Amino acid sequence: MNTQVCIAGIPFKNPVMTASGTFGSGMEYEEFVDLNRLGAVVTKGVSNVPWPGNPTPRVAETYGGMLNAIGLQNPGIDLFIKRDLAFLKKYDTRVIVNVCGKSVEEYLEVVEKLSDQDVDLLEINVSCPNVKEGAIAFGQDVKALSAITKAVKEKAKQPVIMKLSPNVTDIKELAKAAEASGADAVSLINTITGMKIDIRKRCFALANKTGGLSGPAIKPVAVRMVYEAAHAVKIPVIGMGGIATAEDAIEFIMAGATAVAVGAMNFHDPYTTIKVIEGIEAFMREEKITDLESIRGCVN
Amino acid sequence: MAKEKQTAAVIRQECIATDIYSMWIETSIADVSHPGQFISVYPKDRSKLLPRPISICETAPGRLRIVYRIAGSGTAEFAGYKSGDPIEILGPLGNGFPLDGQDALLIGGGIGIPPMLSLAKALPGKKTVVAGYKSELFLTEDFAGHADLWIATEDGSSGTKGTVLNAIRENHLTGSVIYACGPMPMLKAVKEYAIEQGIPAWISLEERMACGVGACLGCVVKTTGKDEHSNVNNARICKDGPVFDAKEVDLT
Ligand SMILES: Cc1cc2nc3c(=O)[nH]c(=O)nc-3n(C[C@H](O)[C@H](O)[C@H](O)COP(=O)(O)OP(=O)(O)OC[C@H]3O[C@@H](n4cnc5c(N)ncnc54)[C@H](O)[C@@H]3O)c2cc1C
Ligand SMILES: Cc1cc2nc3c(=O)[nH]c(=O)nc-3n(C[C@H](O)[C@H](O)[C@H](O)COP(=O)(O)O)c2cc1C
Ligand code: FES
């Protein structure tokens, strides 16, 4: 049985990754999960300097999901390299670093600092709905996305994944723009912009007013968008959005995803990633699938 | 022992005041926990993704007690659990109170009183507990034999009329260290009082949480200095707290 998948020429032992921002750099989850078993650890968005993020409350539960407006709080690339990347070196798993910034220059500064680091791929976050400048602005416009993709590709020493936003009219156009500008892969979906109101206090549930919706509630939207993107481009698609079980993950793979990521469900059950990996193997045995490649994009 | 998510069993549960429940849970987490730590409790209703953080009220070998108020539909679900029912929990979480205080003044407000019980039982030396209620009392007998108990009620039906601070001043209560848990206005007042009196104070904070283990950065509090982990002036309440030196957090 072969659960191995390949992205930009890099083999992954299985298709299951952590979704950026839901797993830190793995430190807080190593007590629960043997990180060696993961296809990859995708780290929290990191910028050129430390970012303080948004005021609290930053999270709110919603039916079958949650809203977050963390605002990309992160310790900055220098401490991240010294501490987080050093930590991940201990493990036999792929490391994908999620990069954020307010301007093209800020993204490039991070990409450059990572050039000589032990990092397998970069994931460029152009889709965070929770910061005022940068981030999502690059992910909602074909021209801006093309420009940043090209700029990053010129500097990057590692293959580049562009992380796309679902908060767009036509995901196919953006996926194609990323591919045409040199992206090695795309990942989607980031969170869907949402809002919750506390009717007793007559105020927003989040200090930021709006936040990004994630969790099982968004899965059907995510599967649809992954399907559309996978059929629009030839580069690999990493699918995510509400994955809770192996069945969910397999839906994404059948929609066309090469790999998948588990996000908000880590908060519900810290063992979710391992359960998804084991469940995929069980499904392959039951259905007599020898290679995941044989079911990828099998619905048409 | 490392933290663990487990399906534990409810030993027994009772309603101890209006909307306030006391539940004993059979779990190995009890034996590795420390006063001031909390557990995440997961509703079985699968439309609810996130755990409910609840403080450990006290422990006995192989079991722990939580005391909580029905605040919404998650805690309402817990209140329906019966003896023998499974309960999904993860813990122990957070840092807990430092236990080196002598002559300690423990201040609890409302649903912040429960963690003061395990602390009162664990601290050496003289302990004075000041508990603030709206009106209806709970847990008062549990402190007997572990600490001197003073009560404040908003309506004056028991003890001092007013807040815990009114009770402290009225009865000239003091100590060499303060531990406090309760609503934010109370914690702000306690912090001010501690600074005024020059007494060190440890306060336990609350914030909306998602992961409960320090990974999502959902539950931060502003710190007066740069936090070592975050590299900005933010600490994680679930991991670096919930207990903080009052001087090190910015409650404004
Ligand atoms: C460290 C810590 C310790 C706590 N200890 C206790 C305790 O010992 N006893 C007790 O009664 N309560 C305690 N609380 C508060 C308790 O977590 C909330 O009352 C509970 O989560 C409400 O859940 P619900 O589903 O009933 O309410 P809902 O309002 O339906 O919950 C919706 C969401 O908001 C969150 N939420 C709502 N109120 C709070 C709150 N005050 N703090 C944090 N999250 C909240 C819930 O966890 C959930 O994710 C503690 C909170 C924290 C952070
Ligand atoms: C608390 C939280 C923080 C997140 N932080 C980031 C981030 O830093 N960078 C990023 O690209 N996506 C971030 N995301 C989005 C997730 O990586 C993922 O795309 C999204 O949550 C959908 O997957 P899910 O439904 O499985 O959570 C975050 C999501 C959550 C819930
Ligand atoms: S709740 Fe996730 S960091 Fe505290």
Side-chain angles (χ1 to χ4, degrees):
Chain A
M1 187 165 64
N2 185 12
T3 55
Q4 194 171 308
V5 297
C6 198
I7 296 169
I10 298 170
F12 291 73
K13 60 179 80 162
N14 64 58
V16 181
M17 309 176 172
T18 60
S20 175
T22 65
F23 208 73
S25 295
M27 274 170 224
E28 292 79 13
Y29 280 101
E30 73 171 333
E31 283 185 75
F32 306 100
V33 173
D34 178 2
L35 303 184
N36 296 306
R37 294 184 64 188
L38 301 176
V41 170
V42 183
T43 57
K44 169 80 186 160
V46 62
S47 50
N48 60 338
V49 293
W51 283 7
N54 288 327
T56 56
R58 290 177 170 186
V59 291
E61 193 179 61
T62 62
Y63 197 94
M66 63 173 286
L67 289 167
N68 91 80
I70 308 296
L72 292 172
Q73 179 187 321
N74 78 84
I77 186 65
D78 294 334
L79 180 57
F80 175 84
I81 289 175
K82 211 167 82 193
R83 180 184 63 199
D84 299 53
L85 283 185
F87 163 81
L88 282 167
K89 273 205 186 88
K90 294 190 301 193
Y91 290 98
D92 173 29
T93 184
R94 297 289 175 201
V95 175
I96 302 180
V97 175
N98 185 275
V99 178
C100 57
K102 296 192 176 89
S103 63
V104 175
E105 291 68 38
E106 290 186 10
Y107 280 94
L108 293 183
E109 201 181 321
V110 179
V111 168
E112 241 166 294
K113 286 199 166 154
L114 288 169
S115 62
D116 57 352
Q117 294 298 319
D118 215 345
V119 169
D120 296 294
L121 295 95
L122 307 179
E123 180 177 60
I124 309 301
N125 178 6
V126 288
S127 44
C128 179
N130 301 322
V131 293
K132 299 230 157 34
E133 310 144 83
I136 199 166
F138 295 106
Q140 288 179 322
D141 175 77
V142 165
K143 272 201 200 114
L145 178 68
S146 303
I148 190 163
T149 307
K150 278 183 194 141
V152 168
K153 271 304 287 179
E154 252 170 48
K155 285 266 160 33
K157 291 284 183 293
Q158 294 94 348
V160 171
I161 305 162
M162 298 305 288
K163 180 153 182 188
L164 304 181
S165 170
N167 303 305
V168 297
T169 312
D170 187 356
I171 194 72
K172 299 188 287 297
E173 291 308 310
L174 290 139
K176 279 190 213 158
E179 179 181 48
S181 309
D184 298 281
V186 290
S187 57
L188 68 158
I189 60 175
N190 206 314
T191 54
I192 303 173
T193 311
M195 180 180 279
K196 178 176 176 175
I197 290 165
D198 183 328
I199 61 167
R200 299 278 171 202
K201 294 191 188 136
R202 302 189 184 191
C203 66
F204 300 102
L206 299 175
N208 191 52
K209 297 182 186 174
T210 60
L213 183 64
S214 61
I218 71 170
K219 197 191 76 181
V221 178
V223 172
R224 185 266 298 176
M225 291 193 134
V226 164
Y227 172 84
E228 289 180 348
H231 286 75
V233 298
K234 294 200 174 59
I235 52 176
V237 174
I238 302 167
M240 71 200 79
I243 293 178
T245 63
E247 288 76 13
D248 296 335
I250 291 162
E251 264 192 73
F252 278 88
I253 293 170
M254 289 190 175
T258 298
V260 294
V262 174
M265 282 307 284
N266 289 308
F267 307 155
H268 177 77
D269 179 356
Y271 312 110
T272 305
T273 46
I274 300 299
K275 288 179 181 168
V276 170
I277 293 168
E278 289 174 352
I280 290 176
E281 288 165 1
F283 180 82
M284 290 174 73
R285 273 192 301 275
E286 278 165 34
E287 301 270 325
K288 302 197 168 41
I289 297 161
T290 50
D291 197 323
L292 275 182
E293 197 55 31
S294 67
I295 56 164
R296 182 155 62 78
C298 69
V299 292
N300 252 301
Chain B
M1 188 193 80
K3 296 191 267 288
E4 194 188 337
K5 185 180 180 189
Q6 53 177 238
T7 305
V10 175
I11 298 171
R12 63 170 187 274
Q13 162 144 267
E14 54 182 327
C15 180
I16 58 171
T18 309
D19 283 345
I20 311 264
Y21 286 77
S22 161
M23 186 196 287
W24 277 96
I25 302 168
E26 188 178 341
T27 169
S28 55
I29 292 170
D31 304 325
V32 290
S33 72
H34 180 90
Q37 287 190 299
F38 66 97
I39 58 173
S40 275
V41 187
Y42 297 78
K44 290 180 188 126
D45 174 349
R46 284 294 176 255
S47 73
K48 294 187 171 62
L49 202 69
L50 302 179
R52 273 56 180 162
I54 306 282
S55 302
I56 295 169
C57 169
E58 61 173 324
T59 60
R63 49 209 188 124
L64 65 78
R65 181 189 191 188
I66 55 174
V67 169
Y68 61 95
R69 182 176 53 215
I70 297 185
S73 54
T75 42
E77 181 194 302
F78 306 151
Y81 293 2
K82 304 270 181 296
S83 300
D85 280 352
I87 179 168
E88 278 184 67
I89 57 176
L90 188 153
L93 299 172
N95 57 355
F97 292 108
L99 293 182
D100 46 8
Q102 292 288 337
D103 188 12
L105 185 57
L106 281 56
I107 307 173
I111 208 61
I113 297 167
M116 292 301 147
L117 182 57
S118 59
L119 180 63
K121 290 171 81 174
L123 280 174
K126 178 171 176 282
K127 290 150 286 192
T128 308
V129 173
V130 189
Y133 301 87
K134 279 206 168 68
S135 169
E136 205 181 349
L137 309 182
F138 56 88
L139 285 181
T140 47
E141 304 94 66
D142 296 78
F143 285 100
H146 302 296
D148 293 333
L149 178 66
W150 300 82
I151 290 167
T153 51
E154 280 175 26
D155 64 0
S157 54
S158 313
T160 301
K161 181 174 174 15
T163 67
V164 287
L165 263 299
N166 294 127
I168 290 169
R169 294 193 199 270
E170 186 178 296
N171 300 296
H172 311 288
L173 304 177
T174 176
S176 62
V177 55
I178 289 174
Y179 297 94
C181 183
M184 188 49 84
M186 182 196 103
L187 294 178
K188 283 183 184 168
V190 167
K191 177 177 173 173
E192 244 171 67
Y193 177 76
I195 291 170
E196 168 200 308
Q197 302 284 318
I199 308 173
W202 297 98
I203 58 176
S204 180
L205 302 180
E206 263 189 20
E207 186 50 80
R208 300 291 157 138
M209 295 184 176
C211 69
V213 298
C216 74
L217 308 180
C219 67
V220 299
V221 58
K222 267 202 200 124
T223 50
T224 47
K226 188 157 86 175
D227 174 77
E228 197 186 308
H229 174 84
S230 68
N231 211 15
V232 292
N233 290 33
N234 276 340
R236 298 161 297 178
I237 291 177
C238 70
K239 176 95 179 175
D240 310 312
V243 178
F244 293 93
D245 179 338
K247 286 200 292 290
E248 288 173 4
V249 285
D250 179 356
L251 304 180
T252 52

